[in-house]
Amino acid sequence: MLQDKITQYTAEINAFLTEKADELEQFRIKFLGTKGIIKDIFDEFKAVSPEEKRTLGKVLNEFKQLAEAKYQTLKDQGGVAEVSTDAGIDLTLPGEGFEIGARHPLALVRREIIEIFNKLGFIVAEGPEIEDDWHNFSALNFPEEHPARDMQDTFFIKKGGEKGDIALRTHTSSVQVRMMEAGKPPFRAIMPGRVYRNEAISARAHCFFHQVEGLYVDENVSFADLKQTLFYFVQELYGEGTKVRFRPSYFPFTEPSAEMDISCTICKGAGCQMCKYSGWVEILGCGMVDPNVLENCNIDSKKYSGFAFGMGIERIANLKFEIKDLRLFSENDARFLKQYKTSLI
Ligand SMILES: [Zn+2]
């Protein structure tokens, strides 16, 4: 009889759950109160036979401990609910949704560029943003009197130093030098990073922006390899059928040098504001690595040749998303940044 009661109440205690203080109090009175069930059962226990006492004693103690533990647990948890109720919080209201962050449009484009070149076997290399004259200018064949070495164009940090003046790097080409100095050909890498120029901030210019540099050095690398690599890149990034054209240009560290245009992504060559009605837009500079640069990095320019290219990530993003003002990229306006949540995860 007593055993049956204990079994039944054990099930009831196990099933009991509440967050309400008054219900928990009723539970306490019912089981643990001075006129409660446990008291009754202990009274009944006094009347059972000595043989039964031996087996039931243990069961009874466990039952009492169960009720006490349950009460204590619910009280600890219920304490929170009690406070919350006092503070006027309605726990039955649905929770607030978390806003999922968005990737920055520049990060999206950078990642896409990296993925395309990864398919061609290019690895990603990085270098410091604070550079010395050697890595940023001299090794790259910049003449002494080149305007980039002027205060007008570069943020200098310190005069002098083992490898010349210290400045914020003006291009990611400095990473090329570091890579070639540190290893042996073949090199096949792209180098994304932030660069700095001493320019007034406007819709079309900024004192910092982002570039991706590319370098491929091996035996028998030709301009045809350069053209095919960049042609593939453009087809992947802007879709098949995008046309490319190369115009002769000049960079101190490549010879010959070219600028590459693509058929306008907006008007497909028909002419629009973006392409200034020419049907073409410039996206990057490139060329064959100047033998002087290879020699500066202790690479035999008779045996090895290579190509390099560099593009502004902002420029690529502008063409992709039709963003007309460079300043938007660094103003951290969530209304602007949120728009790119669903494109290119
Ligand atoms: Zn156009």
Side-chain angles (χ1 to χ4, degrees):
M1 279 297 288
L2 200 50
Q3 177 67 64
D4 290 346
K5 267 191 194 171
I6 291 170
T7 308
Q8 181 201 327
Y9 287 133
T10 299
E12 190 180 330
I13 290 169
N14 280 333
F16 181 73
L17 269 180
T18 185
E19 284 181 344
K20 291 180 183 158
D22 55 340
E23 283 180 11
L24 185 60
E25 182 57 11
Q26 282 165 20
F27 173 87
R28 189 192 65 80
I29 294 165
K30 182 175 178 184
F31 286 98
L32 300 162
T34 45
K35 290 175 186 166
I37 286 164
I38 287 170
K39 173 84 171 37
D40 286 350
I41 289 175
F42 269 89
D43 286 344
E44 278 186 52
F45 178 72
K46 286 175 192 160
V48 300
S49 64
E51 309 90 75
E52 266 190 302
K53 268 187 180 156
R54 270 198 293 278
T55 51
L56 267 178
K58 192 165 168 265
V59 176
L60 201 50
N61 275 322
E62 281 173 358
F63 174 67
K64 190 183 172 197
Q65 281 162 14
L66 174 73
E68 284 169 350
K70 184 80 175 192
Y71 173 72
Q72 198 55 48
T73 307
L74 290 176
K75 193 180 169 196
D76 293 345
Q77 292 168 355
V80 178
E82 247 177 300
V83 173
S84 301
T85 314
D86 289 349
I89 295 168
D90 184 352
L91 292 167
T92 62
L93 286 174
E96 281 179 33
F98 284 102
E99 184 134 16
I100 297 168
R103 283 194 188 274
H104 194 284
L106 293 179
L108 292 171
V109 171
R110 181 181 58 207
R111 193 208 282 203
E112 202 178 355
I113 294 170
I114 289 172
E115 277 173 5
I116 294 169
F117 283 105
N118 275 347
K119 288 187 211 165
L120 294 172
F122 282 72
I123 61 159
V124 175
E126 284 178 335
E129 291 184 17
I130 295 172
E131 263 301 3
D132 52 46
D133 184 280
W134 170 256
H135 291 99
N136 198 70
F137 297 124
S138 299
L140 289 162
N141 220 19
F142 277 79
E144 277 299 324
E145 66 285 359
H146 195 283
R149 296 187 179 219
D150 192 71
M151 294 291 281
Q152 299 294 318
D153 296 297
T154 303
F155 290 113
F156 284 95
I157 292 174
K158 207 173 98 186
K159 273 272 172 208
E162 202 183 316
K163 296 214 162 184
D165 298 343
I166 308 296
L168 293 175
R169 67 179 176 195
T170 57
H171 49 194
T172 41
S173 308
S174 54
V175 190
Q176 281 187 34
V177 179
R178 288 192 173 273
M179 191 180 189
M180 289 194 283
E181 279 178 341
K184 284 190 164 59
F187 299 107
R188 189 157 43 174
I190 52 166
M191 304 140 210
R194 182 177 283 184
V195 302
Y196 303 84
R197 304 267 172 96
N198 191 358
E199 292 198 30
I201 296 169
S202 71
R204 300 174 64 84
H206 210 293
C207 61
F208 67 81
F209 52 97
H210 301 79
Q211 286 187 332
V212 176
E213 190 85 4
L215 177 72
Y216 181 26
V217 176
D218 202 349
E219 290 179 42
N220 302 318
V221 176
S222 72
F223 204 92
D225 298 315
L226 164 64
K227 284 175 90 171
Q228 182 56 40
T229 302
L230 294 178
F231 180 77
Y232 172 81
F233 165 66
V234 165
Q235 306 305 303
E236 288 285 305
L237 189 66
Y238 291 112
E240 268 181 47
T242 308
K243 294 192 191 104
V244 300
R245 74 174 184 188
F246 291 81
R247 286 179 290 105
S249 186
Y250 169 77
F251 303 108
F253 40 99
T254 47
E255 180 61 35
S257 303
E259 274 168 42
M260 191 178 84
D261 298 339
I262 58 167
S263 49
C264 179
T265 52
I266 316 289
C267 65
K268 308 287 172 213
C272 71
Q273 222 178 3
M274 177 67 100
C275 59
K276 300 194 186 82
Y277 301 94
S278 69
W280 295 93
V281 282
E282 183 202 326
I283 66 160
L284 55 81
C286 57
M288 300 305 291
V289 180
D290 193 301
N292 285 343
V293 175
L294 295 175
E295 295 294 339
N296 284 341
C297 302
N298 302 316
I299 289 166
D300 184 354
S301 63
K302 303 242 171 359
K303 188 176 178 191
Y304 294 102
S305 56
F307 65 74
F309 55 87
M311 67 190 98
I313 300 181
E314 279 83 350
R315 176 83 181 142
I316 306 290
N318 285 352
L319 289 171
K320 206 162 180 73
F321 301 127
E322 296 180 48
I323 298 162
K324 297 213 168 62
D325 192 330
L326 268 180
R327 292 169 292 193
L328 287 167
F329 288 123
S330 53
E331 281 173 350
N332 280 338
D333 186 334
R335 292 169 303 175
F336 166 72
L337 297 171
K338 267 187 201 167
Q339 299 173 76
Y340 305 96
K341 196 178 288 183
T342 50
S343 52
L344 308 170
I345 302 300

